[in-house]
């Protein structure tokens, strides 16, 4: 329960894990920081791997992607990008804007870096346009959505024995 509600944006993956839809031993959360850190107890206790923003920025996207491959292995994977992961300087239009987050390039590189994983679904969540009068959050969110669609197209094509390059160069 979070805020009196069983399923919310803050409890979705915890509920899915408790209900048996997510195997925590093959799940990884990337980019937590600040206000989100106190809610990581469940993730750690259940066996999920957590990579904090500071850890990713110190180690680099490439090293974290190696860890993602090890954790997920050959299991089917669902990829969820919460806009709260972004630094508020590049994504003010999110429900919990907070400094010291990831950049658009870091998230793009994470998405592109999981091409060899069996991604069966993806989403980008929590864009809040009223929080950003400039529209730059919607611009970044649409670019991330495009990258996710390309990733899904590539993994589907690979499952079907096709070869397609869809990412931006």
């Amino acid at each position: 329960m979070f805020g009196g509600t069983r399923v919310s944006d803050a409890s979705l993956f915890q509920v899915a894990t408790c209900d048996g839809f997510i195997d925590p031993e093959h799940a990884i959360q990337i980019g937590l920081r600040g206000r989100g850190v106190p809610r990581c107890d469940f993730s750690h206790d259940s066996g999920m791997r957590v990579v904090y923003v500071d850890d990713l920025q110190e180690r680099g996207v490439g090293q974290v992607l190696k860890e993602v491959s090890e954790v997920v292995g050959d299991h089917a994977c669902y990829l969820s990008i919460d806009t709260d992961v972004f630094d508020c300087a590049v994504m003010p239009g999110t429900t919990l804007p907070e400094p010291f987050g990831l950049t658009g390039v870091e998230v793009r590189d994470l998405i592109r870096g999981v091409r060899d994983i069996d991604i069966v679904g993806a989403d980008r969540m929590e864009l809040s346009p009223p929080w950003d009068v400039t529209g730059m959050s919607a611009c970044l969110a649409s670019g991330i959505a495009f990258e996710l669609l390309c990733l899904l197209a590539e993994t589907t094509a690979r499952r079907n024995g096709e070869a397609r390059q869809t990412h931006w160069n």
Side-chain angles (χ1 to χ4, degrees):
M1 295 284 265
F2 183 79
T5 303
R6 181 171 185 265
V7 179
S8 70
D9 63 327
S11 68
L12 179 65
F13 293 103
Q14 179 175 344
V15 170
T17 301
C18 290
D19 288 354
F21 297 107
I22 294 175
D23 177 356
E25 296 295 323
H26 297 285
I28 185 166
Q29 294 178 297
I30 301 171
L32 285 85
R33 69 189 186 289
R35 291 176 279 189
V37 172
R39 295 194 311 239
C40 290
D41 287 347
F42 173 82
S43 299
H44 290 293
D45 293 345
S46 69
M48 285 185 200
R49 176 67 177 106
V50 176
V51 178
Y52 298 99
V53 166
D54 292 344
D55 191 29
L56 180 140
Q57 291 170 336
E58 182 180 307
R59 292 171 47 206
V61 171
Q63 289 298 313
V64 171
L65 285 168
K66 288 178 186 176
E67 187 172 357
V68 169
S69 290
E70 292 169 7
V71 169
V72 175
D74 61 355
H75 292 81
C77 180
Y78 187 90
L79 177 60
S80 184
I81 307 290
D82 187 329
T83 59
D84 291 339
V85 77
F86 291 101
D87 188 280
C88 62
V90 298
M91 178 66 74
T94 188
T95 55
L96 288 172
E98 192 163 324
F100 314 119
L102 298 179
T103 67
V105 171
E106 288 168 326
V107 173
R108 180 207 62 198
D109 290 350
L110 285 166
I111 294 168
R112 290 181 180 180
V114 296
R115 273 197 207 107
D116 294 331
I117 292 177
D118 185 19
I119 305 293
V120 296
D123 70 77
R124 190 256 325 125
M125 59 187 252
E126 292 200 52
L127 176 67
S128 183
W131 288 90
D132 179 10
V133 296
T134 69
M136 68 186 208
S137 297
C139 182
L140 177 55
S142 65
I144 293 301
F146 178 81
E147 292 289 335
L148 290 172
L149 288 171
C150 290
L151 176 67
L152 289 170
E154 286 183 14
T155 57
T156 300
R158 186 174 60 245
R159 251 185 257 112
N160 296 334
E162 302 170 19
R164 286 190 201 149
Q165 180 178 342
T166 58
H167 63 281
W168 287 338
N169 286 325

